[in-house]
Amino acid sequence: MYFIYVKGKQVPVSKEIYQEYWRITNREKYLRRLERKHHVRPFSDYDEIQLADFMVDTQMNIEKIIETKQLVQLLYEALLTLSAEEFQIVNDLFFKDKTLSEVSKSINVSISTIARRRDRILKYLKKLLQ
């Protein structure tokens, strides 16, 4: 018989649920270790902005905002799993709005190589986010 604790109470679960629970728990611990190792501030540190500050429109869809925030958190965690070079490519192309040509010159590889790497990284990120 396997048990996990939920809100301080021992709950009996199947072996599969027990294993999945610990897989997720260990993954979270691993990601926190990576954040500390690379001196990355957790995404939660940026929650200082109050949601009420943005609530000018009474028609605002709070559920959509929360869903979007959760997707951003998942993306942030997925980006932490990339290698330094892969992260640089993503950062340059999508956050710094550099062209394939500019990125290829900075890394000193061909444009087609950068395009293939971009496609491979995006496919990997999409797989993680599904």
Side-chain angles (χ1 to χ4, degrees):
M1 184 62 99
Y2 294 90
F3 297 94
I4 60 173
Y5 286 88
V6 179
K7 295 184 181 180
K9 294 183 180 180
Q10 190 179 34
V11 178
V13 295
S14 69
K15 181 178 180 180
E16 293 80 19
I17 292 174
Y18 179 82
Q19 289 174 332
E20 184 64 15
Y21 171 81
W22 280 108
R23 186 190 68 76
I24 291 170
T25 301
N26 289 333
R27 177 72 178 162
E28 289 172 354
K29 288 178 183 179
Y30 168 73
L31 291 173
R32 281 196 293 279
R33 283 194 311 269
L34 277 179
E35 288 173 349
R36 285 191 304 271
K37 178 181 175 183
H38 297 290
H39 308 288
V40 175
R41 290 180 62 189
F43 188 71
S44 59
D45 285 358
Y46 298 99
D47 287 345
E48 300 160 356
I49 300 171
Q50 296 296 320
L51 187 60
D53 295 342
F54 296 102
M55 295 186 70
V56 176
D57 184 4
T58 57
Q59 301 290 329
M60 188 176 279
N61 186 345
I62 299 300
E63 289 88 17
K64 189 67 175 171
I65 293 171
I66 292 169
E67 181 182 314
T68 302
K69 185 176 179 180
Q70 290 172 339
L71 285 173
V72 169
Q73 175 67 30
L74 288 173
L75 176 61
Y76 172 78
E77 291 173 2
L79 289 173
L80 287 176
T81 66
L82 297 177
S83 69
E85 184 178 24
E86 291 171 334
F87 182 79
Q88 180 185 356
I89 291 170
V90 169
N91 190 39
D92 288 347
L93 289 174
F94 299 105
F95 296 104
K96 294 183 180 176
D97 290 325
K98 290 186 178 180
T99 65
L100 288 173
S101 177
E102 292 170 330
V103 175
S104 71
K105 288 177 186 173
S106 69
I107 299 178
N108 201 25
V109 295
S110 71
I111 294 173
S112 60
T113 301
I114 294 297
R116 279 194 308 276
R117 289 180 186 175
R118 176 203 58 201
D119 295 343
R120 183 177 39 94
I121 293 166
L122 290 176
K123 184 177 179 182
Y124 169 76
L125 290 174
K126 181 178 179 181
K127 182 179 174 186
L128 285 181
L129 294 175
Q130 288 180 343

